[in-house]
């Protein structure tokens, strides 16, 4: 008992230390977003604004169309995430649990694809999207985001499915379940942590992607947050205050996401995973 | 491992087959694209080889431009144009301010065959490269010959490549020396006219504890450093490329220029962080009252006089950049041009827009309301305009030096220059080594366009 | 046998949608890019004008010291950051897994850096590292670690370290999440058994946790390495590849060739060579972690 208690205290200590390191730069960004321009570059820096201002926040929404960017980002990221979850859970299950040929080769090709620097294929992809008439649309981003995030999601899901004991599969078969029923009723529920992981990864990747969003959706009405915030700068000035204000706002959906998924994480933890 | 590799190869072959199928589709789309382009070319041909009549132009066009200073300049111009031309509707497409990002998105779109933006704002160093890659339409045939007379001397030459004009100068940018009047007065110093004096005065002011840093400029690893270096190099009597297009950085002039720049940092006249400064960083330091002298573009005047951003309102003076030994020094030719997308479907409306944007009305709005230097000769010389900013009065005293942007590989030449100069500024390599490396790198990029 | 056939068919039909999406969107651009690397390319109003020149573009890059510098930088940068992220990530994941309260809060906090847009978080770090007004210099001066302000992004060594710190800050959560996922799949009984045997913390980790987490660690390491090889946004904003070319990664070099210099052939060759390089290191990596690919059931 004593040992496990000291273990816990140690755990909290380690965690606290790292969380502090994680939070400090972010704290600095939040604080700066509330400082007037003249206070943003002073030395020594003020650890709290001497004069709080919301001007950067109001500027982001009034001067720039930040609300439009947020809506676009939310739509693109959520749709991409759902599609990736849908496709990757099926494919991951197939690769992990079903007797198909060339699994290794498939996994290697997926690996190669996820490795290709997006910058190198942006020109051909642009031409492809243009010939489909998809430029400046949600699908112009959703489809590439799904395609580029699928390989990783498949890897994650496959890893989770692999850890489900084979016996479960056999038991379901004995009960007369079809392959699809086994997948939906047995495998998916116990691998919810995997779904959570894959969805967080996809969402964040879609939420933060810059280069494709910049090039494929150039009209102001279709821009996403990363591209939108980058436009806050003038030719010769970097308005840190406004950029950071936009950035702070852009983190909020992630908070919401984690709060929604919280139940899943916790259930994944308490279930102690799979009972062999 | 061997079965592993074998399986991979089998699948690889399968992928290649699939790929060639898809590539087949790709080729098909290329054909339709080509057909569309031919139609386009016919369109242009139909309008004849002579100037296009744009007096009855109509329709919608898109103008792509990065925010200039986020003070509403672009919007004011577009709104005014739309009001005066009820048959034409110009829509503004916001571009990224990072020049490299801006260029990347334009090349992808136009290179990929996009018909919009119809007209875009581009850096004065782009014409050769964009012309070479056919990302810009030659304008000298479609616009009447007398159109070009409206521009101040030398500006149109900068937009030429192999004898054709590829862009219309939109606004000019010139660098100046900004100084703190109040500090010079306090120390009883005159406004410096030589680099040596700038350095000495800065030290005097620093030693008296009047200011933290003496002189701030742009030393980060980016295009701006090419501008700063080219100016000092010209002051020292040197050039980046000689008249035959060969690099000339193995000269004593180049050594003098770079040694001087490095010396500013080692003598603490410029901050140690100088080699990370772009325009915003140097402007910040100056606006905070932490520097006595600043090299910056014309916008710095407005910026330093804006109480929202600046603590030195009313304490700033501006003069032409100095040179070694005294007198007026060189400024790089900066500024922005208007280019036309070769795939545009509405040449007349585009030309009408360019005609208006470089005409008296728009140029006067730009100069008077936003204090950008007009490219239109008449507006430049208008006494009413000259009253607006002290910059308009001294711009004619400045000597200009162009970056070697006539070479289609200019982007690479500039990279070779600024990366090595920056390395020397950081103290990473010696001045001699930096120049030697820059010389070699420019040699290979100017000719072959290798890495 | 019939049953197996059915399962096989089900397997293919489950995989097909994913493979179709990936194939249609990525395979053509990738093959096109490989093809581009074998051509001399000029951009014209009719699109790319290609002239097949074999491996000349590769000759150009392989004979360039700038290219090899980028290779070297990218490789050591990737190795250092990924190893650091795995170690720190493991510590955080174990800590979060071991506590009962504040799990949610810790997770939310941890996700902040990762969910920040890279081009923006790079601005944030540039602001923190600023050589004149940077808060980092202020803190270190107050703590008497340094005497005078340091130009973090202005000298070679400190710029590399500064960039690594920013990167580790940003991407460690990625590793934590994967490892945490792996830890969640482990049964508590393993650990309890280990305590019963009287194993201390260190022994438990090496004998129980680490082997069971092997595939999660490999997954995290593998994909982090892949991402690290393609690092672009961070140096693009933070250092612009400087001072000089110190922090010029392969992706930065490729982007310059492709989009700034408009040398599409050379740029594509850089990209393809990067992938080949990564592929080779992946195969080495995978042969060490065979289970990751082969799967226990295969």
């Amino acid at each position: 008992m004593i040992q496990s208690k000291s273990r816990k205290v140690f755990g909290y200590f380690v965690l606290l230390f790292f969380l502090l390191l994680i939070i400090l730069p972010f704290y600095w960004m939040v604080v700066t977003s509330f400082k007037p321009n003249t206070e943003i570059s002073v030395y020594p820096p003020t650890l709290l604004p001497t004069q709080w201002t919301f001007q950067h926040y109001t500027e982001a929404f009034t001067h720039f169309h930040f609300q439009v960017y947020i809506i676009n980002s939310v739509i693109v990221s959520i749709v991409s995430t759902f599609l990736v979850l849908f496709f990757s859970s099926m494919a991951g299950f197939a690769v992990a649990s079903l007797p198909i040929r060339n699994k290794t080769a498939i996994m290697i090709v997926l690996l190669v694809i996820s490795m290709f620097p997006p910058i190198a294929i942006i020109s051909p992809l642009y031409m492809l999207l243009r010939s489909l008439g998809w430029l400046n649309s949600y699908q112009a981003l959703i489809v590439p985001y799904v395609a580029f995030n699928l390989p990783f999601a498949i890897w994650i899901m496959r890893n989770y499915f692999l850890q489900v004991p084979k016996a479960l599969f056999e038991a379901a078969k004995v009960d007369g379940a079809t392959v699809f029923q086994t997948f939906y009723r047995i495998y998916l529920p116990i691998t919810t942590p995997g779904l959570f992981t894959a969805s967080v990864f996809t969402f964040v990747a879609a939420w933060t992607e810059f280069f494709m969003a910049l090039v494929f959706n150039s009209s102001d009405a279709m821009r996403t947050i990363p591209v939108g915030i980058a436009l806050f700068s003038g030719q010769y000035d970097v308005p840190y205050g406004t950029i950071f204000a936009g950035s702070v706002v852009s983190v909020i959906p992630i908070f919401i996401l984690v709060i929604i998924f919280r139940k899943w994480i916790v259930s994944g933890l308490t279930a102690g995973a799979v009972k062999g | 491992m061997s079965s592993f590799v074998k399986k991979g190869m089998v699948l690889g072959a399968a992928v290649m087959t699939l790929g060639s199928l898809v590539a087949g589709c790709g080729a098909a789309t290329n054909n339709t694209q080509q057909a569309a382009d031919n139609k386009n070319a016919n369109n242009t041909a139909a309008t004849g080889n002579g100037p296009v009549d744009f007096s009855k132009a109509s329709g919608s066009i898109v103008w792509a431009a990065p925010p200039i200073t986020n003070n509403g300049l672009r919007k004011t111009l577009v709104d005014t144009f739309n009001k005066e031309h009820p048959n034409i509707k110009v829509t503004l497409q916001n571009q990224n301010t990072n020049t490299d990002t801006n260029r990347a998105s334009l090349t992808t779109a136009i290179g990929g065959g996009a018909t919009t933006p119809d007209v875009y704002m581009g850096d004065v160093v782009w014409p050769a490269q964009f012309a070479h890659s056919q990302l810009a339409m030659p304008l000298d045939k479609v616009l009447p010959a007398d159109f070009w007379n409206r521009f101040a001397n030398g500006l149109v030459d900068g937009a030429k490549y192999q004898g054709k004009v590829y862009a219309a100068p939109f606004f000019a940018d010139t660098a100046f020396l900004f100084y703190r009047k109040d500090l010079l007065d306090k120390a009883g110093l005159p406004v410096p006219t030589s680099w040596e004096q700038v350095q000495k005065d800065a030290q005097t002011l620093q030693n008296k504890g009047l200011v933290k840093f003496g002189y701030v400029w742009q030393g980060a690893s980016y295009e701006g450093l090419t501008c700063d270096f080219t100016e000092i190099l010209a002051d020292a009597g040197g050039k980046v490329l000689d008249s035959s297009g060969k690099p000339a950085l193995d000269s004593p002039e180049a050594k003098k220029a770079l040694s001087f720049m490095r010396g500013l940092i080692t003598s603490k006249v410029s901050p140690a962080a100088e080699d990370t400064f772009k325009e915003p960083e140097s402007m910040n330091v100056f606006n905070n009252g932490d520097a006595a002298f600043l090299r910056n573009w014309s916008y710095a005047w407005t910026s330093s006089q804006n109480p929202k951003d600046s603590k030195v309102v009313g304490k700033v003076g501006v003069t032409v950049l100095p040179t070694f030994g005294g007198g007026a020094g060189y400024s790089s030719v900066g500024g922005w041009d208007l280019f036309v997308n070769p795939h545009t479907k509405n040449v007349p409306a585009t030309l009408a827009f360019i005609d208006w944007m470089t005409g008296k009305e728009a140029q006067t709005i730009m100069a008077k309301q936003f204090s950008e230097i007009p490219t239109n000769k008449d507006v430049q010389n208008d006494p009413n305009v000259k009253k607006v900013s002290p910059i308009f009065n001294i711009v004619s005293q400045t000597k200009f030096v162009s970056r070697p942007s006539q070479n289609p590989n200019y982007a690479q030449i500039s990279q070779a220059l600024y990366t090595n100069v920056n390395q020397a500024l950081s103290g990473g390599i010696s001045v001699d080594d930096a120049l030697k490396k820059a010389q070699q790198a420019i040699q290979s990029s100017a000719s072959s366009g290798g890495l | 046998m019939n049953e197996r056939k059915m399962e096989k068919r089900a397997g293919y039909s489950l995989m097909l949608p994913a493979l179709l999406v990936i194939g249609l969107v990525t395979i053509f651009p990738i093959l096109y890019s490989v093809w581009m690397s074998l051509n001399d390319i000029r951009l014209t109003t009719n699109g790319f004008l290609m002239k097949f020149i074999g491996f000349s573009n590769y000759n150009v890059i392989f004979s360039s010291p700038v290219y090899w510098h980028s290779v070297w930088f990218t490789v050591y940068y990737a190795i250092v950051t990924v190893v650091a992220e795995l170690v720190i990530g493991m510590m955080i994941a174990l800590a979060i897994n071991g506590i009962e309260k504040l799990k949610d809060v810790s997770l939310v906090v941890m996700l902040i850096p990762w969910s920040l847009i890279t081009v923006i978080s790079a601005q944030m770090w540039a602001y923190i590292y600023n050589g004149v007004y940077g808060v980092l210099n202020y803190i270190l001066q107050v703590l008497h670690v340094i005497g005078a302000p340091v130009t973090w992004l202005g000298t070679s060594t400190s710029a590399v370290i500064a960039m690594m710190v920013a990167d580790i800050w940003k991407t460690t959560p990625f590793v934590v999440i994967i490892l945490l996922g792996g830890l969640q799949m482990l049964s508590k009984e393993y650990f309890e058994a280990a305590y019963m045997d009287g194993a201390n913390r260190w022994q438990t980790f090496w004998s129980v946790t680490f082997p069971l987490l092997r595939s999660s660690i490999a997954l995290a390491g593998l994909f982090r390495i892949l991402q690290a090889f393609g690092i672009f946004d961070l140096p693009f904003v933070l250092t612009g590849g400087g001072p000089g070319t110190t922090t010029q990664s392969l992706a930065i070099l490729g982007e310059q060739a492709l989009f700034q210099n408009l040398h599409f052939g050379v740029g594509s060759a850089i990209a393809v060579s990067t992938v080949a390089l990564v592929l080779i290191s992946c195969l080495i990596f995978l042969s060490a972690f065979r289970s990751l690919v082969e799967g226990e059931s295969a």
Side-chain angles (χ1 to χ4, degrees), chain A residues 52-113:
Chain A
W52 291 75
T53 172
F54 283 94
Q55 73 178 66
H56 302 304
Y57 287 86
T58 48
E59 206 166 292
F61 283 95
T62 54
H63 206 88
F64 308 95
H65 312 287
F66 204 57
Q67 57 282 12
V68 178
Y69 306 149
I70 293 177
I71 292 169
N72 291 339
S73 271
V74 167
I75 292 174
V76 167
S77 307
I78 288 187
V79 176
S80 307
T81 305
F82 273 103
L83 290 175
V84 164
L85 283 188
F86 185 68
F87 293 137
S88 68
S89 56
M90 294 195 304
F93 173 71
V95 179
S97 315
L98 295 173
I100 46 174
R101 255 182 289 169
N102 293 328
K103 281 183 191 184
T104 314
I106 291 171
M107 295 318 274
I108 288 179
V109 170
L110 290 181
L111 199 65
V112 174
I113 285 167

Side-chain angles (χ1 to χ4, degrees), chain C residues 204-222:
Chain C
T204 317
F205 175 77
W206 281 116
S207 60
V208 182
T209 319
F210 187 76
L212 287 172
L213 273 185
R214 238 175 58 127
S215 74
S216 292
I217 296 170
L219 182 73
L222 180 66

Side-chain angles (χ1 to χ4, degrees), chain B residues 115-310:
Chain B
T115 53
T116 58
D118 301 271
V119 50
Y120 57 95
M121 188 172 118
D123 197 296
V124 290
V125 293
W126 289 2
Q129 186 187 38
F130 275 51
H132 181 79
S133 294
Q134 301 188 6
L135 293 163
M137 180 189 277
L139 297 178
D140 47 346
K141 287 273 159 56
V142 289
L143 283 165
D146 62 353
F147 170 83
W148 305 103
N149 298 338
R150 67 179 68 181
F151 297 106
N153 284 343
L155 290 175
V156 177
D157 285 341
K160 275 186 185 164
Y161 179 65
Q162 296 184 343
K164 290 184 188 164
V165 189
Y166 283 87
F170 178 40
F171 66 90
D173 221 343
T174 304
F176 298 97
L177 182 73
F178 297 86
Y179 58 91
R180 288 280 301 279
K181 286 195 294 218
D182 57 326
L183 299 182
L184 289 181
D185 286 348
K186 240 183 238 175
L189 294 167
V191 177
T193 60
S194 75
W195 284 123
E196 294 87 348
Q197 225 176 325
V198 167
Q199 189 167 16
K200 219 178 87 214
D201 292 357
Q203 272 167 331
T204 311
L205 296 172
Q206 281 172 290
N207 291 340
K208 288 191 175 181
L210 290 172
V211 71
K212 199 164 160 188
F213 304 118
Y215 174 50
V216 288
W217 38 286
Q218 294 80 39
S221 190
Y222 81 124
E223 183 64 30
L225 178 55
T226 300
C227 297
D228 284 42
F229 177 75
T230 310
E231 287 163 2
I232 305 238
L233 179 62
D235 290 336
K239 274 181 171 178
V240 177
L241 300 185
D242 65 19
S243 48
S244 62
K246 292 214 174 70
L249 293 174
D250 49 0
S251 64
E253 290 83 10
K255 190 174 174 182
K256 179 179 178 183
L258 187 51
S259 306
F260 172 73
M261 291 168 93
R262 169 75 183 143
L264 288 169
I265 297 173
T266 50
S267 65
K268 299 208 160 72
V269 162
S270 297
E274 187 56 63
D275 65 335
T276 62
F277 278 17
K278 297 185 183 181
E279 283 88 356
E281 286 85 1
S282 49
M283 193 74 233
N284 261 341
V285 173
F286 189 75
N287 277 352
N288 258 314
D290 287 335
F293 300 103
L294 163 75
R295 179 258 176 225
N296 209 339
W297 305 99
S298 45
Y299 83 95
W301 173 256
T302 336
S303 173
S304 70
Q305 298 308 307
N306 177 359
K308 242 180 84 190
D309 303 320
S310 165

Side-chain angles (χ1 to χ4, degrees), chain B residues 319-342:
Chain B
T319 181
V320 291
L321 284 171
T323 184
F324 291 108
Y330 283 95
S331 159
S332 287
V333 177
W336 293 82
D337 292 346
L338 294 171
F339 297 74
V340 177
N341 177 350

